[in-house]
């Protein structure tokens, strides 16, 4: 396949670029509307098939109404006339047929009106209706609207605004950094071109997937961040390798063929590895994680395919002009790097390998120290508090928590099928500060509501759900607390399977790339250390409330429950990605006949700068999400950037060379060195000692 791609680029470069241009036009025309179409599913953070979701469905089926209010209107300085106006606005929308009695705040200065939605229609209908109500309420002063329906809309729109802002911040920085890395404006533009094509293609793919199954708005973060980052990474690898081949072979078709055959193989392995890692999220029965997994599983191979088709065609047409528009001093430095002259990375590798054991111990100890806060991690759920303070849903949520009785904020409900006596017996058995009398929802269907008097994530509320579920009978227990517990249980139950699958797939792909059983095992251990250190820093920052001013967030005292799961899959895949970059180049040197330590030094010299530059560019692409106003997006963006930096610095630059020096020939067990080493051309390409030999 790689040979075919190389020949296609060499023989038909204009046709390849014409096809890429047509793809870009189609993808832009259909894909740019994708952000406005996603998010049509139900709650993305509720586990499918869970008891809380079944309880919600049972209430809707029996009563014809939503299990919880979908519209919450906060009225300050209430008067009968203003309350009547708000009531009229809500009732004008047929989707919200029932309004609960007004609830007065503890200080008597605020009133809350709660409206239930009509069941049997999609939640998108609820959200559209909630937007209309919110627009009509704008003319009434001192009124703020919240509730699940409007909060979902506001979250989706905030995610889209944050993505636009992140891209506006990232692209100028990426261009400047790429210019500094490549020392040529033409070469610097190529990674951004592939990144843009990957984003457009990813948006098109998401739109097609959304036709078959609802996709969460959060999947846009994977498409833009990971798609852009991988497109840049793969372009960086291919452009750097092509410049090497230019230095040895000159601007001929063989330079393109060898680039695709060597660096292209690395890109192919890397894209499949990253896709497999992120795709493991799709096994979790939460719309949020499932959408992330689908997006990552599709966008990573897309980034690889675009890089392996568009760039070789451009190499054929550009030739030596790939180094054009470069300051003379920078051009000479780039030529020296392309010829493989021994530089700082080569010397660093040998310096580390002279004392590999102390280096390995020191690096491991540093990672373990960074990981220590991870032992005290706590989790929280997703609600309106993740929104910026200025949005109405957040204003209503804050007022609810501060000014109204807690029993009104987070009740737990049980759906009982049977007689009224059965429902009363169940209610009598519930031990809570507040237990309401059974409410008849339909024929032989009753609802019992109870409250711990504490917020929904408080341990008292969680114990109440456990106690209600332990009562005899077949009652279904739902509510916000029950949803959080079901989510937590589902993630805990599925995590071993996801981790095992991720480890197995990563091991097999690394074995296929290196033909070694030792190197994949070492890579898995390195990935675990990287992730542990990353989680430790996240706990130190977000859970403990540090850098709140710099990162512009409000401390929640915990991490959002799904954020570590996303980080586990994405960061694991990216760490393996950089591992593939380094290990395949070391193996190429080893296969050429170099001793183990020399192969490691040569491999690090040829990829050290690439991996560092790729990590820096990727951190800008993904780290721009740190500007998001949604804290879960901020946590994931910062976490991915941290994982990439840790892996590219401590792990790839220190741990890998030292451990490979310690293991020696065992690194390559059970594979044997190819008979006679590699071809002369390969040896020339990887051995920096053979400078000055150029084939025309």
């Amino acid at each position: 396949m790689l040979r075919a791609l190389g020949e296609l680029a060499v023989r038909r470069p204009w046709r390849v670029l014409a096809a890429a241009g047509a793809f870009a036009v189609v993808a832009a025309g259909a894909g740019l509307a994708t952000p406005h179409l996603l998010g049509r599913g139900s709650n993305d953070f509720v586990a499918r098939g869970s008891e809380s979701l079944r309880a919600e469905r049972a209430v809707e089926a029996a009563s014809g109404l939503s299990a919880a209010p979908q519209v919450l209107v906060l009225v300050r300085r209430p008067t009968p006339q203003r309350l009547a106006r708000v009531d009229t606005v809500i009732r004008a929308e047929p989707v919200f047929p029932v309004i609960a009695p007004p609830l007065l705040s503890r200080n008597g200065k605020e009133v809350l009106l709660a409206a239930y939605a009509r069941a049997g229609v999609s939640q998108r209908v609820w959200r559209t209706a909630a937007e209309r109500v919110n627009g009509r309420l704008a003319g009434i002063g001192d009124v703020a609207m919240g509730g699940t329906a409007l909060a979902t809309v506001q979250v989706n729109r905030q995610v889209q605004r944050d993505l636009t802002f992140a891209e506006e911040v990232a692209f100028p920085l990426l261009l400047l950094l790429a210019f500094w890395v490549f020392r040529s404006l033409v070469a610097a533009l190529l990674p951004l071109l592939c990144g843009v094509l990957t984003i457009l293609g990813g948006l098109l793919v998401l739109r097609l997937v959304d036709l078959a199954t609802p996709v969460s708005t959060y999947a846009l973060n994977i498409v833009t961040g990971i798609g852009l980052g991988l497109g840049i990474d793969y372009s960086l690898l291919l452009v750097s390798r092509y410049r090497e081949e230019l230095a040895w072979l000159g601007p001929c078709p063989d330079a393109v063929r060898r680039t695709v055959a060597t660096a292209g193989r690395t890109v192919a392995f890397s894209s499949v590895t990253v896709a497999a890692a992120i795709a493991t999220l799709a096994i979790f029965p939460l719309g949020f994680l499932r959408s992330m997994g689908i997006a990552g599983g599709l966008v990573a191979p897309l980034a690889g395919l675009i890089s392996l088709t568009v760039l070789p065609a451009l190499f054929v047409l550009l030739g030596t002009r790939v180094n054009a528009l470069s300051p003379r001093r920078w051009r000479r430095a780039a030529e020296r790097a392309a010829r493989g002259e021994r530089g700082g990375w080569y010397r660093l590798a040998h310096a580390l390998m002279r004392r590999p054991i102390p280096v390995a111990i020191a690096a491991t100890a540093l990672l373990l120290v960074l990981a220590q806060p991870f032992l005290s991690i706590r989790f929280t759920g997703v609600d309106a508090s993740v929104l910026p303070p200025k949005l109405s849903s957040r204003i209503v949520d804050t007022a609810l928590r501060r000014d109204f009785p807690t029993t009104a904020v987070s009740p737990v409900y049980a759906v009982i099928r049977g007689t009224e006596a059965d429902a009363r017996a169940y209610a009598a058995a519930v031990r809570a500060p507040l237990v309401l009398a059974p409410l008849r929802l339909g024929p032989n269907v009753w609802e019992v509501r109870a409250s711990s008097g504490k917020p929904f994530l408080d341990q008292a509320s969680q114990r109440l759900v456990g106690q209600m579920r332990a009562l005899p009978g077949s009652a279904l227990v739902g509510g916000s607390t029950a949803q959080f517990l079901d989510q937590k249980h589902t993630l805990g139950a599925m995590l071993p399977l996801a981790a095992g699958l991720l480890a197995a797939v990563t091991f097999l792909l690394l074995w296929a790339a290196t033909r070694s059983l030792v190197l994949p095992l070492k890579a898995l251990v390195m990935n675990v250390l990287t992730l542990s250190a990353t989680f430790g820093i996240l706990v130190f920052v977000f859970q403990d409330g540090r850098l709140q001013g710099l990162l512009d967030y409000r401390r929640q005292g915990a991490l959002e429950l799904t954020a570590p799961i996303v980080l586990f899959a994405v960061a694991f895949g990216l760490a393996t990605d950089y591992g593939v970059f380094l290990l395949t180049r070391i193996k190429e040197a080893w296969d050429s006949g170099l001793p183990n330590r020399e192969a490691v030094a040569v491999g690090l010299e040829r990829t050290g700068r690439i991996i560092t530059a790729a990590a820096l560019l990727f951190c800008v692409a993904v780290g721009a999400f740190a500007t998001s106003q949604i804290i879960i997006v901020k946590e994931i963006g910062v976490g991915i950037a941290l994982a990439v930096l840790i892996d590219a610095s401590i792990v790839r630059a220190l741990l890998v060379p030292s451990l490979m020096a310690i293991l020696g020939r065992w690194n390559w067990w059970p594979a044997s060195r190819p008979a006679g080493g590699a071809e002369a051309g390969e040896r020339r390409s990887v051995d920096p000692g053979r400078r000055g030999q150029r084939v025309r």
Side-chain angles (χ1 to χ4, degrees):
M1 177 180 173
L2 290 175
R3 187 179 297 112
L5 288 175
E7 288 300 321
L8 179 64
V10 168
R11 297 179 184 276
R12 300 286 188 272
W14 285 111
R15 291 187 182 182
V16 172
L17 294 181
F23 172 77
V25 172
V26 172
L32 291 178
T34 301
H36 305 288
L37 303 176
L38 302 185
R40 61 185 175 90
S42 56
N43 193 328
D44 291 326
F45 293 88
V46 177
R48 289 179 298 169
S50 62
E51 181 176 337
S52 58
L53 190 58
R54 286 184 283 126
E56 185 178 293
R57 298 289 183 263
V59 171
E60 292 178 4
S63 67
L65 297 173
S66 57
Q70 292 297 308
V71 167
L72 298 174
V73 180
L74 180 71
V75 183
R76 300 187 183 94
R77 299 185 295 106
T79 64
Q81 294 77 16
R82 297 180 70 241
L83 291 176
R85 289 180 63 190
V86 172
D87 185 276
T88 301
V89 169
I90 298 174
R91 292 186 186 279
E93 190 60 60
V95 177
F96 305 115
V98 174
I99 300 178
L103 180 66
L104 191 65
S105 65
R106 283 189 288 260
N107 60 15
K109 297 180 179 180
E110 298 168 313
V111 165
L112 186 74
L113 294 177
Y116 291 80
R118 178 166 54 87
V121 297
S122 71
Q123 294 194 11
R124 171 165 283 188
V125 173
W126 294 357
R127 296 164 192 168
T128 303
E131 285 187 273
R132 289 196 294 266
V133 172
N134 188 45
R136 293 166 188 159
L137 290 174
I140 305 176
D142 285 333
V143 171
M145 179 173 161
T148 304
L150 185 62
T152 303
V153 172
Q154 292 181 337
V155 166
N156 292 344
R157 288 183 175 171
Q158 188 64 48
V159 168
Q160 294 169 28
R161 284 194 292 266
D162 291 345
L163 285 175
T164 301
F165 181 76
E167 291 169 357
E168 291 173 351
V169 171
F171 269 98
L173 290 175
L174 289 172
L175 179 59
L176 291 175
L177 288 172
F179 183 50
W180 173 73
V181 169
F182 285 114
R183 300 181 169 92
S184 160
L185 183 58
V186 172
L189 290 172
L190 299 183
L192 293 182
L193 172 64
C194 288
V196 170
L197 284 175
T198 302
I199 290 176
L200 292 176
L203 292 175
L204 174 62
V205 169
L206 276 192
R207 181 167 184 176
L208 296 176
V209 172
D210 190 58
L211 296 176
T213 182
V215 176
S216 170
T217 304
Y218 290 96
L220 294 171
N221 295 283
I222 290 290
V223 167
T224 56
I226 304 300
L228 177 61
L230 290 179
I232 290 173
D233 278 2
Y234 299 154
S235 302
L236 186 63
L237 187 66
L238 289 166
V239 172
S240 298
R241 186 59 184 250
Y242 178 63
R243 294 170 105 178
E244 289 182 33
E245 300 302 334
L246 272 181
W248 292 109
L249 303 175
C252 63
D254 281 346
V256 177
R257 292 188 181 101
R258 282 194 50 77
T259 298
V260 176
T262 53
R265 181 174 180 270
T266 301
V267 168
F269 272 110
S270 172
S271 62
V272 173
T273 302
V274 174
I278 303 178
T280 56
L281 294 172
I283 71 172
F284 290 95
L286 277 71
F288 168 69
L289 295 179
R290 182 169 172 270
S291 297
M292 289 278 204
I294 292 173
L298 294 173
V299 78
L302 180 64
L305 181 61
I306 288 173
S307 299
L308 288 173
T309 52
V310 175
L311 288 180
L314 287 171
F315 293 158
V316 172
L317 298 176
L318 289 172
T320 56
R321 290 190 297 275
V322 74
N323 297 319
L325 300 180
S326 171
R328 183 175 301 176
R329 179 182 175 187
W330 283 14
R331 184 165 58 249
R332 288 197 296 265
E335 290 172 354
R336 288 195 300 270
R339 288 195 299 268
E341 295 183 5
R342 295 176 180 176
W345 287 103
Y346 180 87
R347 293 189 293 271
L348 174 64
H350 274 297
L352 295 172
M353 290 187 289
R354 281 194 290 270
R355 287 184 172 79
I357 294 178
V359 172
I361 292 174
T364 303
L366 175 59
L367 292 175
L368 292 176
V369 169
L370 293 175
Q372 192 273 334
F374 182 42
L375 299 175
S376 60
I377 191 170
R378 295 187 298 274
F379 298 107
T380 187
V382 173
D383 54 24
S385 65
V386 305
L387 286 166
K390 63 181 180 181
L391 293 183
S392 62
S393 294
R394 172 70 180 277
I395 293 171
V396 173
D397 181 76
T398 301
L400 266 175
R401 297 169 186 268
R402 183 189 62 219
D403 302 331
F404 290 84
T406 308
T407 52
V409 179
S410 54
V412 179
Y413 62 86
V415 182
I416 301 129
R417 296 186 182 277
T419 64
E420 183 178 0
D422 295 331
R424 291 189 177 279
Y426 182 92
V430 175
R431 298 289 177 263
L434 177 67
V435 181
L436 300 180
L439 174 67
R440 184 176 181 273
L441 300 178
N444 296 323
V445 181
W446 303 81
E447 181 186 61
V448 173
R449 288 185 172 258
S451 175
S452 68
K454 301 291 183 180
F456 83 99
L457 289 178
D458 191 90
Q459 289 297 317
S461 298
Q462 296 185 38
R463 286 194 297 269
L464 174 60
V465 171
Q467 188 249 333
M468 292 174 68
R469 286 180 168 175
L471 293 176
S474 57
L476 297 174
V477 179
S480 299
T481 307
Q483 288 181 359
F484 174 76
L485 290 176
D486 288 343
Q487 183 191 69
K488 189 176 180 179
H489 171 76
T490 300
L491 295 179
M494 298 297 295
L495 185 58
L497 173 61
L501 182 62
L502 180 58
V505 170
T506 301
F507 181 90
L508 290 174
L509 288 170
L510 285 176
W511 173 81
T514 63
R515 297 298 173 181
S516 165
L517 295 178
V518 176
L519 292 178
L521 288 174
K522 182 171 65 66
L524 292 177
V525 174
M526 298 300 98
N527 289 358
V528 170
L529 286 173
T530 298
L531 287 170
S532 299
T534 301
F535 289 149
I537 298 174
L538 284 181
V539 169
F540 181 79
V541 173
F542 287 101
Q543 180 173 298
D544 296 345
R546 293 174 173 87
L547 305 180
Q548 293 185 72
L550 178 64
L551 294 176
D552 188 24
Y553 75 97
R554 183 181 64 87
R555 176 178 178 268
Q556 292 183 300
L559 297 183
E560 201 285 318
L561 184 58
T562 58
I565 305 294
V566 175
L567 284 174
F568 177 76
V570 175
F572 197 98
L574 294 176
T576 307
D577 177 41
Y578 294 127
V580 170
F581 283 13
L582 177 58
L583 293 177
T584 52
R585 201 60 192 263
I586 293 175
K587 185 178 187 299
E588 188 179 339
W590 166 261
D591 288 345
S592 73
L594 296 179
N596 178 72
R597 292 198 177 197
E598 184 68 12
V600 173
V602 168
L604 191 61
E605 171 64 27
R606 305 305 280 164
T607 62
R609 189 171 183 273
I610 296 174
I611 291 176
T612 303
L616 184 60
L617 292 168
F618 201 102
C619 285
V620 172
V622 178
F625 293 144
T627 62
S628 174
Q629 298 296 303
I630 306 294
I631 191 168
I632 182 175
V633 177
K634 192 185 296 286
E635 289 175 357
I636 292 173
V638 172
I640 293 175
L642 284 171
V644 168
L645 286 175
I646 291 171
D647 186 76
S649 56
I650 300 174
V651 174
R652 302 298 155 205
L654 301 178
L655 263 179
V656 170
S658 58
L659 289 177
M660 292 194 77
I662 293 170
L663 292 171
R665 294 181 63 89
W666 285 102
N667 286 305
W668 313 103
W669 184 85
S672 58
R673 195 194 301 266
E679 299 176 2
E682 290 183 11
R683 184 174 301 178
R684 181 209 66 234
S685 176
V686 300
D687 187 356
R690 299 190 58 172
R691 298 188 294 273
Q693 300 183 22
R694 183 172 300 182
V695 179
R696 292 284 184 186

